[in-house]
Amino acid sequence: MDFRGKDIISIKDFSKETINYILDYAQDLVPYAKGEKYKDILNGKVLSSLFFEPSTRTRLSFESSMNRLGGKVIGFSNPAATSQMKGESLADTIRMADSYSDVIVIRHSQEGAARLAAEFADVPVINAGDGAGRHPTQCLLDLFTIKSEKKKIGKNKIVLLGDLKYGRTVHSLSYALSVYKAELSFVSPTSLKMPREVIDECRELGVEPTQTSNLEKAIKDADVLYVTRIQKERFPDAEEYNKVVDSYKINIELLQNAKDDLIIMHPLPRVTEIDPEVDKTPHALYFKQAFNGVPVRMALLSLVLGGKL
Ligand code: CP
């Protein structure tokens, strides 16, 4: 498969065959992600890391991926320190990054910003999250985590919990899990239900998600519980946020009725939705999931830059 020069904007741009290929390649890269092996296949390549929104995992794991493959990183994580503050447009910022580097990774608060960036860049653009839109690299690392732990992606009952309205990770993941025909259950406060267009995408792929606010019942026979944070920053009205904050919490008591091999995932950051006491249980997969961002992003960078192992 030839990925050289390709943009990565939405998981919907990938076939199941392509996703499987990326996940298999990421598996080969795990020893390199852990620093147990080293090969500078991206020597001489430069990544522009343009983070207009806060990030810990996505930004650092992209930087780690580039460094571990011998490449270099330029960029910013604080747009207030860039010429955007002087009124420079996103298009012009992208034109500059395009001329200084070989690949651009962008996170932005505006849905569609990554696709716009791709129109102004000749080098490949990777979407690191665009507002409440999509987060394709998170989706791939989520699929990688499920496959690594469950040995399969389809034929699992997967509960997506939390802010399903604004959560870009669950939008991308619902689509991708439907490609694999997983059984989906959406659990959220009524005001944060999964958008209709995402449910329609699942249906078009032959999957009919169930929707409920009864978490206890939903997790009883679940194989995967994917928890998300209620994202204060996405609410146009603070009062609406206050109505739903703390509407669910994963704790040891709740897990008494869950299957022994239930895995709990979370894109992180978490705030109060998972009790830290859950971290010590075998259910907690979220920190390993965050590590999986490194082999998956190594695979993507290596493929779009044509420096395959
Ligand atoms: N999962 C995720 O996107 O985390 P960050 O916001 O820390 O990058």
Side-chain angles (χ1 to χ4, degrees), residues 160 169-179 184 186 194 198 202:
L160 304 185
T169 62
V170 286
H171 298 165
S172 294
L173 192 56
S174 299
Y175 174 87
L177 291 172
S178 298
V179 169
L184 296 182
F186 297 154
M194 189 65 88
V198 178
C202 300

Side-chain angles (χ1 to χ4, degrees), residues 190-210:
T190 311
S191 64
L192 294 176
K193 278 165 81 170
M194 189 65 88
R196 169 55 70 111
E197 62 267 26
V198 178
I199 295 174
D200 287 346
E201 285 172 5
C202 300
R203 287 182 178 147
E204 277 163 29
L205 291 162
V207 171
E208 183 63 53
T210 58

Side-chain angles (χ1 to χ4, degrees), residues 64-75:
S64 173
S65 300
M66 200 65 187
N67 282 297
R68 287 210 186 274
L69 292 175
K72 294 214 166 4
V73 181
I74 59 172

Side-chain angles (χ1 to χ4, degrees), residues 50 89-99 104 106 117-118 120-121:
L50 312 184
S89 66
L90 177 62
D92 281 358
T93 305
I94 296 300
R95 284 186 177 102
M96 296 306 101
D98 184 50
S99 66
I104 295 171
I106 178 170
F120 290 93

Side-chain angles (χ1 to χ4, degrees), residues 54-59 107 135 138 267-269:
S55 167
T56 296
R57 278 145 292 275
T58 312
R59 186 171 69 82
R107 170 170 289 189
H135 198 348
Q138 176 73 41
L268 304 176

Side-chain angles (χ1 to χ4, degrees), residues 11 22-23 26 57-58 61 135-148 173 226 265-267 286 288-297 300:
I11 197 68
I22 294 167
L23 301 187
R57 278 145 292 275
T58 312
S61 61
H135 198 348
T137 67
Q138 176 73 41
C139 181
L140 288 165
L141 78 88
D142 292 341
L143 295 175
F144 181 85
T145 304
I146 295 169
K147 192 173 177 190
S148 303
L173 192 56
Y226 192 97
M265 296 171 61
H266 192 309
Y286 25 93
K288 190 168 179 197
Q289 176 189 357
F291 161 76
N292 288 339
V294 181
V296 168
R297 290 177 173 124
L300 294 172

